[in-house]
Amino acid sequence: MLLDRRNPAHDGATEVSDDQLATLYAPPAGRDWLRVNMVSTVDGAATGDSERSDSIHTPADNRVFGVIRSLADVVVVGAGTAAAETYQAGELPLVLVSRRGQVPEQLRDAEPGAVLLATCATADGLAEARGVLGDDNVLVLGSHSVDLSELRQRLVEQGFVRLLAEGGPHLLRDLLASGVADELCATYVPRIVGGDRPRITAGPPVDAALDLQLLLEEDSTLLGRWDVVR
């Protein structure tokens, strides 16, 4: 039973239907919006024993993940994460972000336009990526690093106004540091795994303030929706 813990009715908890869930997670109307969706254990690990996020998912997280995907126009993900998590081309266009111009092996045979690559002019794999995906599907944004602000602008110009980023940790950090992310959806699963597993952010320090908009709970899984404070 998925409960809204910010609703004061019924002793502070109200069961959320599928239709209500879609309303609760709907992006703001009339503007472009970039949200990031991540999952971690209570002690901050972004992966479990398999070194993939699916090893820490819960039914509640999977349910909300599906709703968030259904509300998006495009999915943005780091190429390394796409490779590790074995992303496949699907109904939504997939935008890979890679400073090195990487195209994961399982995505090289995707239908034209199903996979785009955002990279930079000095990427070692730039020429190969153009050969694999086609020139029109490779966005060169910056000289030595990917300009994420320009990426957002280019995607919006193509009609993708509801942008969903799914990590990994380096991309989340860079989206926050560059001021491109509007929202963080984060799931905390009721587990502690220890060890040196990655957190949901990685790289140089970043300090981004968040404003809680929604808090759901099911079987001790907590699912929050935070706006990024400008």
Side-chain angles (χ1 to χ4, degrees), residues 18-207:
D18 289 343
D19 288 343
Q20 289 171 324
L21 200 59
T23 299
L24 289 170
Y25 277 93
R31 59 157 297 181
D32 55 280
W33 190 256
L34 191 151
R35 68 163 38 126
V36 187
N37 188 29
M38 303 292 285
V39 61
S40 79
T41 61
V42 171
D43 60 337
T47 65
D49 292 339
S50 70
E51 299 184 355
R52 293 170 46 172
S53 65
D54 61 4
S55 59
I56 60 171
H57 285 313
T58 65
D61 179 54
N62 287 330
R63 181 182 172 196
V64 170
F65 177 89
V67 169
I68 289 175
R69 274 278 187 103
S70 74
L71 296 170
D73 296 324
V74 66
V75 173
V76 180
V77 63
T81 294
E85 302 278 351
T86 61
Y87 271 58
Q88 302 292 327
E91 295 181 4
L92 293 177
L94 189 63
V95 180
L96 307 172
V97 180
S98 174
R99 185 173 56 85
R100 294 181 290 175
Q102 293 178 309
V103 181
E105 194 65 35
Q106 78 274 13
L107 295 171
R108 289 172 171 255
D109 295 327
E111 292 293 322
V115 177
L116 288 75
L117 177 72
T119 188
C120 50
T122 56
D124 294 337
L126 179 56
E128 181 182 8
R130 284 172 165 160
V132 170
L133 300 177
D135 289 351
D136 292 343
N137 297 316
V138 177
L139 309 177
V140 180
L141 309 172
S143 58
H144 293 81
S145 62
V146 180
D147 186 327
L148 296 174
S149 295
E150 187 175 354
L151 171 59
R152 175 173 178 159
Q153 180 179 341
R154 293 281 292 274
L155 292 177
V156 170
E157 289 172 353
Q158 294 184 38
F160 303 128
V161 296
R162 299 177 300 180
L163 303 102
L164 170 61
E166 294 180 347
H170 287 281
L171 180 59
L172 171 55
R173 182 264 166 206
D174 292 345
L175 288 167
L176 292 171
S178 60
V180 175
D182 296 305
E183 174 185 329
L184 173 64
C185 293
T187 297
Y188 293 93
V189 300
R191 291 176 58 189
I192 291 178
V193 298
D196 297 322
R197 294 179 177 87
R199 300 161 59 191
I200 64 170
T201 59
V206 62
D207 188 353

